[in-house]
Amino acid sequence: MPRERPIYSDFFYDPLTEDVEELLARFQQSDSIRYEYFSAAWRQMGFSDVFIGIVSMAEQKRFSRVTLATAVKYFLPPYSYQIRVGGLYLMFGLYNTQLAVPPVQIRFALKDWDIIQKFLKDSVNSGHQDVVYIYHKLVAAKAIHFTAMPHFLSFLKLRKRKQKTVCAGFIGRTMAVQELFSADILEEVSNIESQYEKLKENTVAVRCEASMTQRDFTARLKDCMAEFLTWQQKTFSQAEADNKGNGGGGDDDDEEEEEDEDEEERDYKASSSRARLISSIKQKSYSNFQEAPKARRHRQPQKVKVESSSSGSEQHYESGRKRKPASLRARTWKSLGVTKDESRMQVWLLSAPEQNERVPVKRIKQTPPYKE
Amino acid sequence: MAASKNANTNIPDYEYTDVNTDIFHIDSFRTEWLNRLHPGDFSYQPGDQDSSDALFAEEMGISADTMAELKTVCSLDSLRCHPEDQPPDTDVVPPDPTLKTLIQRKKKQDYRDTRKISKNRHDLYADELERLTFGKKSETLDDMVPEGEILLNVNVYYPAIFEKFTHVRPHITVLMMGSHTLAELRDAICCVSDLQVCGEFSNTPDMAPDFISKDHFKSAFFYFEGVFYNDMRYPECQDTSITTIEWAKDRNFPTYTQAKMEDTRFVDLKIKVGFPYLYCHQGDCEHLVIITDVRLTHKDDCLDKKLYPLLTHKHRVSTQKCAVCHVYIVRWVTTNDRFAPSNPCLFCDKCFRMLHYDTEGNKLGEFQAFPYVDRGAFN
């Protein structure tokens, strides 16, 4: 069996991610990007304590690396501007409170640099002084490593491929439709269309046969977009109001297109806020359920069978301790169909007695290694 | 195999997410960073908070009052979760934690307390080498690592010839500068197969240490992205990679090229970060080589050129002990030995000589003795 890798050697650490999301959700609820609100949430949660309780320096360093990588994750897209600001503050907070000596640096990858610069430019342009100031403080403190990649890569496949759950509440609303609405593309399209119609009129042969285009295409597109925008407006103002209540609104990913949104729209119209709260809780618990490793789910029926055939005392013993899959030895035993009476041998017996030639099995007396 | 040279190929991106990157040229990668950065961003001068604050105020056009307010709001005190005069005990998880991380850690700590296991020695010394060189400055300016130099984190894995090694992946980690040649990396890799002594020395045990394999067989090569880099520094070096190249030629493989290890600097290489490559020496001792990280230097790095290549991690292997004293590490292995309890049998130097030679140093009885270098001898 492969040996367990030391703790915190993956890129991210799940409980920490949950903590960070909790902190950012609190920050999001404040509906502000001021640093005061962030630091208030930080102090309220006692967030600098995450570094406490690690004795070994190597572990401390690995953990620092994980925390900073988590912060950088929220600093980069696809998250909304507010969350990214939260990510920046988080980087600042974690870098300055970490207990590793020498401090572990934040890693910026070359491919993310343009995104970071754009973020800064936007912040400067909209006059968010604290955001820019915090960033400058980090740079002045030389807290940044300029690297090729955000993580150390050693050709290790992550053991459990986790579904990448992007915390939906943190993502900014889709701007693409709005951009399309304001851009001149629609005008362009209608121009092309009229040009095309004109050409079609002029060529007698195809005039009647060709009917691929819809004459009112732009108008209809416009209608669709307008409808979507009003829906978005309505939903989000509602969702934001909800956010204050239950802390988790249903924003949409860019990829999830209108079918989903339509469904949600119906949801929103139909249900009262209480029902929505319940459904969100349910959803959460369902998603939690799905995260359980597949293998275990598959094993469940088997386990039931095993338990039902076991004797009473053993069952009692079993329920007390952690469930583990039967060892390879136990499974082999089972498939060989060897029962207890046949094998009263000790582990240290190097050769099997002659009457028992069939399978050279060994066995400890007291604790049965497999569940039967 | 070489990637076409357009503007974006030198900005590394994932080939397989979280596993390895696309191929890129290291020197161009460095240039890309340097073009984007302000020289102050990667200089070794400690950042001066006051002057940078002043500069910031000027850039943003903020008045002194606002600046002062900003400073107090964003001070480090804002992150303090405990009163200043009662800092928490940083070695123990506080009781009743609320953060999920701490709840997990508390569980682990409680569990550890129930078991009487001393600390993991590997963990304890894991960053020892790094700690020693942290922020070390050189004495003369000539030996300083120049600003904006590239640092590479190179993992060299032990050959996977022991079954146990398929699970733990033991390796050494070496920090290299971009200006180093591959030959310098080669010299930094310490492998026991370089130190073996071939031959039977039962008649002349004092002669043994003079003939180590490294001096006999100097050929070696690295393999990176379709190119074999041979070590040709000495006249007795042979081109050991040609066998592979010829073999591949007949079998419809992409063509491989050759270059000299001592003429190739890291910045000249085109590599994938996180991708396994090969180092082969002593004919068939094969190590995986993975470049795990490429980045610009930082002021906290070891800045003394003379200390590079810098060993930052070394796996500790358990050592074989002498069959007689069970104290010292094995230096000799004997076969057909009438004094030994087993065949072959391992001895440390002292026990070996006491058992097999008289006070004059004459050989007693019949046996063959071979020098033995333990894998863990240089932990």
XYZ file of all heavy atoms in Angstrom, chain B residues 319-332 346-352 354 372 374 377:
210
model
N 20.361 2.873 7.315
C 21.660 2.308 6.989
C 21.728 0.852 7.439
O 21.070 0.446 8.391
C 22.773 3.089 7.714
O 22.403 3.202 9.087
C 22.941 4.454 7.114
N 22.559 0.078 6.776
C 22.828 -1.302 7.166
C 23.929 -1.283 8.218
O 24.922 -0.596 8.061
C 23.351 -2.077 5.957
C 22.442 -2.012 4.776
C 21.691 -3.299 4.604
O 21.365 -3.953 5.583
N 21.425 -3.647 3.368
N 23.696 -2.069 9.268
C 24.696 -2.071 10.338
C 25.540 -3.347 10.271
O 25.146 -4.352 9.691
C 24.003 -1.976 11.695
C 23.140 -0.739 11.872
C 23.966 0.527 11.837
C 23.156 1.753 12.236
N 22.090 2.081 11.298
N 26.672 -3.259 10.921
C 27.631 -4.359 10.954
C 27.013 -5.584 11.639
O 26.300 -5.459 12.639
C 28.858 -3.888 11.700
S 29.984 -5.189 12.151
N 27.303 -6.764 11.121
C 26.718 -7.991 11.676
C 27.295 -8.323 13.051
O 26.693 -9.068 13.816
C 26.956 -9.151 10.722
N 28.430 -7.766 13.382
C 29.076 -8.090 14.652
C 28.686 -7.097 15.740
O 28.148 -7.474 16.768
C 30.602 -8.134 14.489
C 31.265 -8.413 15.826
C 30.992 -9.163 13.456
N 28.954 -5.843 15.488
C 28.735 -4.865 16.553
C 27.350 -4.227 16.502
O 26.900 -3.665 17.491
C 29.812 -3.791 16.529
S 29.818 -2.795 15.029
N 26.669 -4.257 15.389
C 25.363 -3.636 15.219
C 25.383 -2.151 15.529
O 24.370 -1.575 15.915
C 24.308 -4.312 16.099
C 23.964 -5.683 15.651
N 23.283 -5.925 14.487
C 24.256 -6.883 16.180
C 23.150 -7.216 14.340
N 23.746 -7.833 15.333
N 26.533 -1.541 15.446
C 26.645 -0.123 15.760
C 27.069 0.666 14.527
O 26.422 1.634 14.149
C 27.663 0.109 16.896
C 27.875 1.594 17.113
C 27.170 -0.547 18.174
N 28.132 0.216 13.912
C 28.693 1.014 12.829
C 28.150 0.588 11.478
O 27.701 -0.541 11.286
C 30.216 0.933 12.840
C 30.782 1.565 14.074
C 31.326 0.788 15.097
C 30.714 2.943 14.224
C 31.801 1.380 16.244
C 31.197 3.542 15.372
C 31.747 2.755 16.384
O 32.208 3.342 17.520
N 28.251 1.531 10.544
C 27.723 1.298 9.202
C 28.658 0.361 8.434
O 29.878 0.388 8.613
C 27.563 2.638 8.472
C 26.512 3.476 9.193
C 27.173 2.436 7.034
C 26.372 4.861 8.678
N 28.062 -0.449 7.619
C 28.803 -1.497 6.908
C 29.826 -0.921 5.942
O 29.538 0.035 5.222
C 27.794 -2.366 6.143
C 28.500 -3.328 5.234
C 26.887 -3.076 7.103
N 31.014 -1.499 5.970
C 32.029 -1.096 5.004
C 32.503 -2.258 4.138
O 33.073 -2.055 3.075
C 33.252 -0.514 5.751
C 32.985 0.802 6.450
C 33.026 1.957 5.471
N 34.297 2.017 4.779
C 35.403 2.541 5.302
N 35.386 3.061 6.499
N 36.538 2.553 4.605
N 32.310 -3.494 4.623
C 32.816 -4.659 3.894
C 31.737 -5.719 3.746
O 30.914 -5.893 4.634
C 34.008 -5.284 4.628
C 35.204 -4.405 4.658
C 35.519 -3.500 5.614
C 36.232 -4.342 3.677
N 36.696 -2.852 5.303
C 37.159 -3.357 4.113
C 36.485 -5.017 2.478
C 38.305 -3.034 3.389
C 37.627 -4.690 1.762
C 38.518 -3.706 2.215
N 27.917 -8.820 6.225
C 28.327 -7.410 6.228
C 29.099 -7.076 7.505
O 28.717 -7.479 8.601
C 27.088 -6.522 6.130
C 26.221 -6.735 4.884
C 24.861 -6.110 5.068
C 26.909 -6.187 3.662
N 30.175 -6.308 7.358
C 30.998 -5.924 8.511
C 31.353 -4.454 8.458
O 31.524 -3.894 7.369
C 32.317 -6.690 8.518
C 32.150 -8.163 8.714
C 32.168 -9.026 7.629
C 32.000 -8.689 9.990
C 32.028 -10.380 7.812
C 31.852 -10.050 10.165
C 31.872 -10.904 9.088
N 31.514 -3.851 9.625
C 32.106 -2.525 9.637
C 33.622 -2.710 9.574
O 34.137 -3.810 9.739
C 31.706 -1.739 10.884
S 32.455 -2.320 12.402
N 34.328 -1.619 9.351
C 35.756 -1.712 9.099
C 36.496 -2.335 10.284
O 37.325 -3.226 10.131
C 36.300 -0.308 8.809
C 37.619 -0.368 8.079
O 37.743 -1.226 7.175
O 38.527 0.422 8.405
N 36.131 -1.890 11.487
C 36.863 -2.335 12.675
C 36.653 -3.829 12.938
O 37.620 -4.592 13.107
C 36.397 -1.514 13.875
C 37.371 -1.555 15.015
C 36.988 -0.550 16.073
C 37.980 -0.654 17.228
N 37.537 0.092 18.394
N 35.394 -4.234 12.953
C 35.096 -5.635 13.222
C 35.694 -6.528 12.125
O 36.186 -7.627 12.406
C 33.600 -5.856 13.310
S 32.833 -4.963 14.655
N 35.634 -6.059 10.911
C 36.175 -6.831 9.802
C 37.655 -7.129 10.012
O 38.109 -8.266 9.897
C 35.964 -6.040 8.505
C 36.642 -6.626 7.309
C 36.172 -7.791 6.721
C 37.771 -6.006 6.759
C 36.797 -8.332 5.610
C 38.394 -6.543 5.645
C 37.903 -7.711 5.073
N 39.399 -6.932 12.855
C 39.657 -7.698 14.074
C 39.379 -9.183 13.867
O 40.074 -10.041 14.403
C 38.798 -7.169 15.225
C 39.413 -5.970 15.903
S 38.265 -5.056 16.919
C 37.742 -6.270 18.067
N 32.162 -2.157 0.516
C 30.730 -1.929 0.395
C 30.439 -0.486 0.782
O 30.909 -0.012 1.822
C 30.002 -2.893 1.332
C 28.493 -2.772 1.312
C 27.734 -3.532 0.424
C 27.837 -1.913 2.178
C 26.366 -3.436 0.405
C 26.455 -1.809 2.169
C 25.731 -2.572 1.282
O 24.364 -2.476 1.265
N 27.461 1.958 1.742
C 26.052 1.910 2.113
C 25.298 3.077 1.500
O 25.832 4.172 1.347
C 25.928 1.953 3.637
C 24.534 1.617 4.077
O 24.220 0.421 4.099
O 23.773 2.550 4.356
N 25.058 6.036 3.822
C 26.306 6.420 4.473
C 26.499 7.934 4.495
O 27.221 8.459 5.334
C 27.477 5.760 3.778
